[in-house]
Amino acid sequence: RGDVLFENKKDERMVFRSPCGGIIKAVNLGARRFPVEIIIERSAAEESVKFEAFSQDSIKSLSREQVVNHLLDCGLWPLIKQRPFSKIADPDTAPKSVFINAAGSAPFQADFSLILKGDAPALKMSKAIPSAENILPETPAYTSTASIRSCPETPSTPSQLRTLF
């Protein structure tokens, strides 16, 4: 889990990582040969790439460059979108404002009540990052959250995991 699946041809620092360990069974391409779906057959032995972890206090001491490089290396940067056209944000450009959206309403969007279940400190930490003086000084940050409802426990994971883009 966490190995590089592919990289952005315009910026090789921007990588897309695997959500699980296993064997790639198929890469389904859409219009203009854009990868629409990657089918990975999960292996029984789950191995993960380890990334550096930060506490809320240590994040405040990081520079913007360190945060950007960490997000690029971990494969999380492609999740940061630039408005108004929802393109992947340019890591070399500081934003005018930051919007943290944990209230998804788009079709087929991940359910944030499942993602954030039992991890409320992660949402609090995400709110602290933009406001840290050394990361994005004088950049307003806005947070949108839906109420986190209780979720049933999920059954065992399927043998194939589909990654949609």
Side-chain angles (χ1 to χ4, degrees), residues 6-79:
F6 57 94
E7 61 189 32
N8 186 329
K9 66 181 180 181
K10 294 179 182 176
D11 188 347
E12 294 175 358
R13 302 173 300 166
M14 197 177 308
V15 295
F16 295 79
R17 294 190 175 269
S18 172
C20 70
I23 298 171
I24 296 175
K25 289 294 184 183
V27 177
N28 298 326
L29 304 176
R32 303 174 100 192
R33 297 181 38 93
F34 182 80
V36 176
E37 181 179 58
I38 298 175
I39 300 173
I40 302 171
E41 185 176 343
R42 289 185 72 159
S43 64
E46 185 73 28
E47 296 179 19
S48 297
V49 176
K50 300 289 183 199
F51 298 102
E52 187 175 1
F54 300 100
S55 68
Q56 192 166 355
D57 294 331
S58 65
I59 285 179
K60 292 178 181 177
S61 67
L62 296 175
S63 69
R64 180 187 186 282
E65 183 179 309
Q66 288 173 308
V67 172
V68 168
N69 288 336
H70 183 70
L71 292 173
L72 286 166
D73 184 48
C74 291
L76 295 175
W77 190 267
L79 300 175

Side-chain angles (χ1 to χ4, degrees), residues 70-112:
H70 183 70
L71 292 173
L72 286 166
D73 184 48
C74 291
L76 295 175
W77 190 267
L79 300 175
I80 300 174
K81 303 295 183 182
Q82 181 176 323
R83 288 184 173 201
F85 301 111
S86 195
K87 299 277 187 187
I88 296 173
D90 180 2
D92 297 324
T93 306
K96 294 177 184 171
S97 58
V98 174
F99 294 85
I100 300 167
N101 185 3
S105 61
F108 308 113
Q109 188 170 13
D111 184 357
F112 285 101

Side-chain angles (χ1 to χ4, degrees), residues 90-152:
D90 180 2
D92 297 324
T93 306
K96 294 177 184 171
S97 58
V98 174
F99 294 85
I100 300 167
N101 185 3
S105 61
F108 308 113
Q109 188 170 13
D111 184 357
F112 285 101
S113 60
L114 286 173
I115 294 169
L116 296 173
K117 182 180 178 188
D119 203 9
L123 182 60
K124 288 180 184 174
M125 191 179 295
S126 70
K127 294 176 186 179
I129 293 172
S131 62
E133 294 175 6
N134 51 337
I135 297 176
L136 291 171
E138 300 177 20
T139 301
Y142 306 96
T143 305
S144 172
T145 58
S147 61
I148 306 299
R149 61 183 186 270
S150 62
C151 301

